[in-house]
Amino acid sequence: MFLRFEIIDTGIGIEKAYLDSVFNDFTQVGEATARHIGGSGLGTTISKQLVELMGGEIGVDSELGHGSTFWFELPFNLVLTPLAEISHDKLLVLTSSTNKEIIKPMLNDWGYLLTSLEKLVIQFLY
């Protein structure tokens, strides 16, 4: 089974003539972009190498003036196992309120209570 991840932006887009070279070493998508945005031209090359090392595929779809969609697909094995036991002495740390809102209904369905300490953590950090 492959999972597809997409990163969509509404930026300047990429000319069709440059799409084949986006993942090449030290390549940027045109002189005007290189001057305006900067960078070494290695980010997409490194991403491609990592994705391919994991047995996946990477690509980009773009239209000049309408943004780009960078995507990669990675193989995952679907393993059917019984539900894991979650003990009551575990701590789940979520990095954003969005993650909390996503996982909270699942934990509730499994009979677990999600306690948020955001205000305490914010007061402690500042």
Side-chain angles (χ1 to χ4, degrees), residues 2-3 48-58 71-75:
F2 279 79
L3 289 181
K48 181 179 185 206
Q49 290 174 354
L50 289 171
V51 167
E52 289 177 348
L53 281 170
M54 292 184 279
E57 185 180 352
I58 191 169
W71 57 267
F72 61 96
E73 295 176 347
L74 294 175

Side-chain angles (χ1 to χ4, degrees), residues 9-117:
D9 74 51
T10 57
I12 62 172
I14 302 169
E15 291 182 48
K16 298 281 184 213
Y18 292 109
L19 286 177
D20 290 338
S21 64
V22 167
F23 297 99
N24 294 346
D25 294 353
F26 303 108
T27 301
Q28 294 187 342
V29 292
E31 291 181 29
T33 303
R35 284 192 305 269
H36 175 70
I37 296 174
S40 65
L42 286 175
T44 56
T45 303
I46 293 168
S47 298
K48 181 179 185 206
Q49 290 174 354
L50 289 171
V51 167
E52 289 177 348
L53 281 170
M54 292 184 279
E57 185 180 352
I58 191 169
V60 61
D61 302 309
S62 186
E63 185 177 337
L64 191 60
H66 295 283
S68 304
T69 300
F70 286 85
W71 57 267
F72 61 96
E73 295 176 347
L74 294 175
F76 284 87
N77 293 325
L78 183 61
V79 179
L80 300 175
T81 60
L83 289 177
E85 289 292 323
I86 302 175
S87 69
H88 293 284
D89 62 347
K90 301 294 182 204
L91 173 66
L92 175 63
V93 178
L94 302 171
T95 58
S96 74
S97 59
T98 301
N99 291 342
K100 180 183 76 173
E101 295 307 315
I102 291 170
I103 201 158
K104 185 176 181 178
M106 288 185 272
L107 290 173
N108 288 339
D109 288 346
W110 296 337
Y112 290 93
L113 174 65
L114 179 63
T115 303
S116 175
L117 299 175

